[in-house]
Amino acid sequence: MAVVVLLAAGAVLALVLQSRHDVDREARARSVAVAETFAHSLGLRAALKTPDPTKILQPLTEATRKAAGMDFIVVMDTEGIRYTHPLPDRIGKKFVGTIEPSLAGEVYTESVKGPLGQEIQAVVPVFSPDGKVEALVSAGLTVKNVTGVVNRQLPVILGASAAGLALATAGAALISRRLRRQTHGLGPLEMTRMYEHHDAVLHAVREGVLITDGGGVLLLANDEAKRLLRLPADSEGRRVDQLGLERHLAELLLSGRVATDEVQEAGERLLVINQRPTKPGGGPEGAAVTIRDSTEMQVLSTRAEAARRRLKLLYDAGVGVGTTLDVERTAQELADVAVPRFADFATVDLAEQVLHGDEPTAAAAVDLRRTGFSGIRDDVPLYPRGRLIDFVPSTPQARGLSSGRAEVVAELADAAGWHAQDPPRARAIVEYGVHSLITAPLKSRGVVLGVVNFWRSQKPEPFDEEDLSLAEELVARAGVSIDNARRYTREHALAVTLQRSLLPRDLPEQNAVEVAHYYLPAQSGVGGDWFDVIPLPGSRVALVVGDVVGHGLHAAAAMGRLRTAVLNFSSLDLPPDELLTRLDDLVQYIDQNAEGDGSQSGLLGATCMYAVYDSVNQRCTVARAGHVPPALVHPDGTVEIPELPAGAPLGLGGFPFESAELELSEGTQLVLYTDGLVEDRARDIDEGLDLLRAALAHADRRPQDTCRAVLEQLLPVRPRDDVALLVARTSALPADHIAEWDVPFEPSAVGTIRAKATAKLEEWGLSELSFGTELVLSELITNAIRHGAEPVRVRLLFDRVLTCEVFDGSSSSPRLHYATTTDEGGRGLFLVAQLSRRWGARYTPEGKVIWSEQPLPDPEAAGE
């Protein structure tokens, strides 16, 4: 708009100046014309020769002036004296102006300040017939009249200029509006800067840019596009299919379809092309295309992808190999993780000693057993799993075992040393398509445990050095896991051996109960569960189940100590509650000593249940120290879990233990177990007890069948804790195998009791034991009368042994005394000990019992 205004102002000024110039020039021309016309008029020279020229010329000049529209016409002589003038008082006076040029015969125009004001006048000479100047004629206009003419033209000029300015303003506004719409409001400066940036970016960016119209004509191509596509210099304005592009590229650019990161070959380059439809210049739909050179990026991405796959394989190996502490399972996991991502087939061969948990020696490392195998197919003619392999020295496996270094065999068909191992099988492997091998020794802590073989058949390229490096790292990581599994296998075998040596191998023979048992170590290692069946005098039996917290050698050793202690305490024939009290004191003593010497041999915790069943009165006395309660299966099939005093776990101290007495009819099954049977991750203990009740609800089964049914119903697949189960079906000693008499508290009663006992032995067919039995009863009854208190009773029990029991009301304990040669007494208990297999004393709430057991005579020896 400023430019338009300046142009309009300049135009007005130019028009005014031009008008003034034109009016001035016209005024001079008119003045000359009028003056010359009057100077050449007829009668002028005649009038000049009259005595009074003014009289004649004045009226003529005025008439002519008015007719011609002049301001004055003056006739003068050669001296410049006026003959005429519009102002009569100026006649006869000197002409104001320059007359010399006219006297010389020229027409002269000028602007002077005359009587009428500023005047434009012309002076024309009047010639005589002889050519001399005889007078002068001047005609002119005042500047005022001339300016008036200009002023009369000025409105027209200004009007025309205003109209032009209005049209220019409207046109500028329309153009500005359209420009702002097209440039989105950007001004010239921004447009210039944007264009400069656009031009710089378009030609400097490392990405080709093409723009085509709807007819496939190339409208724009930046420098990078021309370089990548090798376009000619005059490519813009030509059709795409005329630029010498490869056919597939030209078809893509002409199609105008949407393309996103399409990779196209252009000579030796790989180009990534993106294409989007557009409307260039508002015309028919065209396309905008960007092109990137991905040749180097493809190489880098290939390397990055290979590195990513390598890291992913090593990560999966770290997670997937060594999930268990089983050597064979770990070897198979190593083979599985390598196929098919790294190799088409993978085999793991371990030394036989490793499978047993031992560290292989150099001599034994050559004989390997194929432990792991994995492949994309199962019909490959490689050695099968479980095969014992002795690699010959020329094979890469044998070289790797001796040197400890991995080796790659690029072409198996040309590997003569490998063929020497088994030529027919080697030919079959090559014919199958296996063409490349990597063999890597499996090592840990510098010891070679075996060898891992990776075979390739599907990929045409053989293994290279990068694959060898990956194989070494993969096998190195797996070697640690296999060595850990090997060491665990060794420790587990030691712990199992120790545990089995501490557990009862064969249960002792006795008639009180029929027993079945089962023991399963935890999957994570042996623990401290144990069970025991201990025959007691008087046709009784003790049933024991215990559990030591923890796993491993420590738990197994602790279990052995507790089991030994229970065996020793049971030999004292202590009541269950008293036995657990002494066992609790022992555990506290062990823990205190372990804390004092800083060792780890203490007991972290233990539970125990001790039950004593008497087949004579069919009563069972039970006490438990934090252990799960037993289960009873009555002869009618009902299952009961009796409420027994729980007691505290062993080792806490300060908590009393209580016994409970159960009446068990003959045929009742007493089920003792550890918490590993009823507790599991998938269920709580209440659900486990319900399952136990359901499994036990059959009274007609033998203990072995009951044990099998319980295990099928409750045994976890992978138990976290040891499982110990003891099923005992009760029996009753027949009444005719029991003889019992009250003894009067006097020495003469001894003979009477001896006679009754001899008669009962003859009835039982045990006459051979009469002499020894008489001596035993005589000594025990005499001691009871002499040193004990009333009442005194005698009981004979005919079971697997003949048991003689003498009850009295005293709590004094007899003591075996070895009499000297001069002693008169003290030989009674010595004789009892010599005649009996074993003897002892136990205490009851009413007093004590002195008992003696004699072995029954051998029937075969009696027949002879």
Side-chain angles (χ1 to χ4, degrees), residues 1 162 208 243 283 325 334 343 576 586 603 619 661 670 778-779 792:
M1 289 301 296
L243 300 178
L325 291 174
L334 171 58
L586 175 64
L603 296 175
R619 292 180 180 178
E661 195 170 83
L670 179 62
S778 296
E779 180 61 29
V792 178

Side-chain angles (χ1 to χ4, degrees), residues 355-372:
L355 299 176
H356 298 103
D358 298 326
E359 190 170 283
T361 60
V366 179
D367 294 330
L368 305 179
R369 187 172 296 279
R370 180 138 296 175
T371 310

Side-chain angles (χ1 to χ4, degrees), residues 203 205-208 222-229 291 293:
H203 295 286
V205 70
R206 291 295 303 275
E207 185 167 346
N222 69 345
D223 295 342
E224 184 69 8
K226 293 178 180 179
R227 184 183 70 85
L228 294 177
L229 299 178
I291 305 172
D293 186 1

Side-chain angles (χ1 to χ4, degrees), residues 586-607:
L586 175 64
V587 173
Q588 293 182 63
Y589 175 78
I590 294 175
D591 288 340
Q592 290 174 359
N593 287 346
E595 293 176 0
D597 58 13
S599 66
Q600 301 295 326
S601 60
L603 296 175
L604 301 178
T607 63

Side-chain angles (χ1 to χ4, degrees), residues 148-307:
V149 174
V150 175
N151 291 338
R152 287 192 298 270
Q153 296 177 350
L154 189 59
V156 178
I157 295 173
L158 292 177
S161 299
L165 180 61
L167 292 175
T169 302
L174 292 175
I175 294 174
S176 175
R177 181 178 179 183
R178 182 171 182 180
L179 286 174
R180 288 186 178 276
R181 184 172 64 252
Q182 292 179 343
T183 61
H184 303 284
L186 298 176
L189 182 60
E190 289 82 358
M191 285 294 297
T192 302
R193 185 165 55 248
M194 185 180 70
Y195 177 78
E196 292 175 350
H197 291 172
H198 167 267
D199 189 64
V201 171
L202 184 65
H203 295 286
V205 70
R206 291 295 303 275
E207 185 167 346
V209 178
L210 299 176
I211 297 179
T212 61
D213 63 7
V217 176
L218 180 61
L219 301 179
L220 183 144
N222 69 345
D223 295 342
E224 184 69 8
K226 293 178 180 179
R227 184 183 70 85
L228 294 177
L229 299 178
R230 298 177 181 176
L231 299 176
D234 59 345
S235 59
E236 295 180 355
R238 297 168 58 184
R239 280 181 56 85
V240 171
D241 53 0
Q242 299 174 355
L243 300 178
L245 298 177
E246 297 183 11
R247 182 177 179 182
H248 60 277
L249 284 177
E251 291 178 352
L252 173 61
L253 298 178
L254 287 174
S255 67
R257 64 178 175 84
V258 175
T260 302
D261 290 340
E262 287 193 12
V263 179
Q264 299 284 345
E265 292 185 4
E268 298 179 353
R269 298 181 183 275
L270 287 177
L271 303 181
V272 178
I273 299 178
N274 290 273
Q275 181 169 265
R276 295 291 185 274
T278 183
K279 292 184 178 181
E285 186 171 277
V289 184
T290 60
I291 305 172
R292 296 195 313 272
D293 186 1
S294 64
T295 307
E296 296 181 359
M297 186 62 66
Q298 189 76 11
V299 176
L300 294 176
S301 63
T302 302
R303 294 178 180 175
E305 180 64 19

Side-chain angles (χ1 to χ4, degrees), residues 292 376 500 615 858:
R292 296 195 313 272
I376 57 176
R500 295 194 182 281
S615 63
D858 188 355

Side-chain angles (χ1 to χ4, degrees), residues 10 53 133 149 166 231 262 265 281 310 315-316 355 375 399 475 482 488 494 534 584 609 614 723 731 815 827:
V133 178
V149 174
L231 299 176
E262 287 193 12
E265 292 185 4
R310 174 172 180 164
Y315 171 78
D316 291 343
L355 299 176
R399 290 195 298 270
V475 172
I482 291 181
Y488 171 78
L494 291 175
I534 307 171
D584 181 63
M609 181 163 59
D614 190 341
V723 174
S731 300
R815 182 170 60 90
R827 297 176 175 83

Side-chain angles (χ1 to χ4, degrees), residues 673-679 683 692 710-711 714-715 723 725:
Y673 53 92
T674 57
D675 56 1
L677 180 67
V678 294
E679 288 185 352
R683 62 173 184 258
L692 179 63
V710 170
L711 295 175
L714 282 89
L715 188 64
V723 174
L725 176 64

